[in-house]
Amino acid sequence: MKVTSFKTLFLITIVSLFFAACSSLPKEIPEDLTAQELIQKGQLAFENGHYKESLLYYNTVVERYSGSPDVYLEAKYEIGHLYMKQKKYNAAETVFQEILDIYAVAQPGTLPGAYLKLSQIGMDKIAEKK
């Protein structure tokens, strides 16, 4: 009986350590990663259900590449999309509204049209949820 309990406890401990290791966030994101590499890492983490890690990568893009409107909009949209997936509609709405506000003051044709359209679709979906 004691051997079975010990084996069970040992197995539970190993499985717990495995999941803890898999869910840990990167301690440091290398400075030499491009914006696209960071976004790809964020998308991969998102696809694997690692939302905190995904958000970390997207926020890193926002911080490091805020001077590049195209990259900033892409990362912000990904953040809004992530919040939608988590059903955090208020947070998603804030992000999508920021994107729409940026387009409202930008000269036509200076920003990629995709994020305007995608953000509007996101806002429409949020309105349906309310």
Side-chain angles (χ1 to χ4, degrees):
M1 180 103 167
K2 284 187 174 186
V3 173
T4 303
S5 296
F6 177 76
K7 285 181 180 179
T8 302
L9 181 60
F10 179 75
L11 183 59
I12 290 171
T13 302
I14 295 300
V15 170
S16 297
L17 289 172
F18 173 76
F19 283 112
C22 290
S23 67
S24 63
L25 296 175
K27 294 192 185 330
E28 187 174 314
I29 298 176
E31 291 290 327
D32 63 342
L33 293 179
T34 66
Q36 285 310 308
E37 288 171 327
L38 290 167
I39 288 172
Q40 287 173 347
K41 286 182 175 291
Q43 289 170 338
L44 181 61
F46 177 86
E47 290 169 8
N48 290 319
H50 301 188
Y51 298 142
K52 287 182 181 180
E53 181 181 355
S54 181
L55 187 60
L56 176 65
Y57 283 116
Y58 296 143
N59 279 324
T60 300
V61 173
V62 169
E63 291 170 15
R64 291 184 187 175
Y65 297 94
S66 61
S68 174
D70 294 3
V71 173
Y72 180 85
L73 288 168
E74 182 177 3
K76 289 301 274 194
Y77 172 75
E78 294 291 350
I79 292 169
H81 180 69
L82 173 68
Y83 287 145
M84 287 292 290
K85 181 73 172 180
Q86 295 177 302
K87 298 182 180 176
K88 295 181 178 179
Y89 300 119
N90 289 337
E93 183 175 32
T94 300
V95 173
F96 292 145
Q97 188 59 57
E98 177 188 350
I99 293 170
L100 294 175
D101 291 344
I102 291 170
Y103 277 94
V105 298
Q107 290 214 321
T110 59
L111 299 174
Y115 303 112
L116 173 62
K117 182 72 173 167
L118 291 169
S119 295
Q120 188 58 58
I121 291 170
M123 292 294 272
D124 293 343
K125 287 181 182 178
I126 293 168
E128 292 173 10
K129 303 289 183 188
K130 290 186 175 184

